[in-house]
Amino acid sequence: MNQYYTYIMASHSGVLYTGMTNDLERRVQEHKSGVVPGFSQKYKTTRLVWFETFTDVNEAIEAEKKIKGWVRRKKIALIEAMNPTWRDLAEVNSEA
């Protein structure tokens, strides 16, 4: 069964990046190492603070688009419902 992930990465200064992938562990490592040029590299979004797992790629894409359209305070509420201390889930979760 395929798995897809919609996720939010954060920088230490609070900048948020929302993305979608089929390999969360690889993608998080790309964020952490800064190997992919662009927004995430520029703003150093290196902490996985939220994610959701899907079996349907279209649902993951739709979730990503929906979250990207939200205002910041709604994204923060989503993060804090799962991860109130904003810990790096890649360090504490075996899925990531």
Side-chain angles (χ1 to χ4, degrees):
M1 177 182 294
N2 292 331
Q3 288 195 316
Y4 306 92
Y5 305 88
T6 301
Y7 65 93
I8 300 175
M9 301 290 293
S11 71
H12 287 287
S13 64
V15 174
L16 302 176
Y17 174 92
T18 303
M20 180 281 219
T21 185
N22 66 344
D23 187 339
L24 188 59
E25 185 175 350
R26 173 192 49 79
R27 188 65 181 114
V28 167
Q29 286 310 311
E30 290 173 353
H31 282 280
K32 288 181 176 291
S33 64
V35 297
V36 179
F39 182 92
S40 186
Q41 182 186 55
K42 179 178 179 180
Y43 293 100
K44 296 178 179 44
T45 53
T46 59
R47 290 184 303 138
L48 177 65
V49 293
W50 179 89
F51 69 92
E52 186 172 352
T53 306
F54 298 88
T55 56
D56 182 317
V57 67
N58 294 312
E59 288 179 9
I61 292 168
E62 286 303 312
E64 176 192 21
K65 288 179 183 178
K66 178 177 73 171
I67 293 166
K68 282 184 173 185
W70 288 355
V71 295
R72 180 177 173 79
R73 73 177 175 278
K74 191 168 181 178
K75 294 175 189 179
I76 289 171
L78 178 69
I79 293 164
E80 291 181 349
M82 172 195 242
N83 184 5
T85 62
W86 290 59
R87 71 191 184 281
D88 187 346
L89 299 174
E91 294 178 1
V92 297
N93 193 308
S94 62
E95 277 192 64

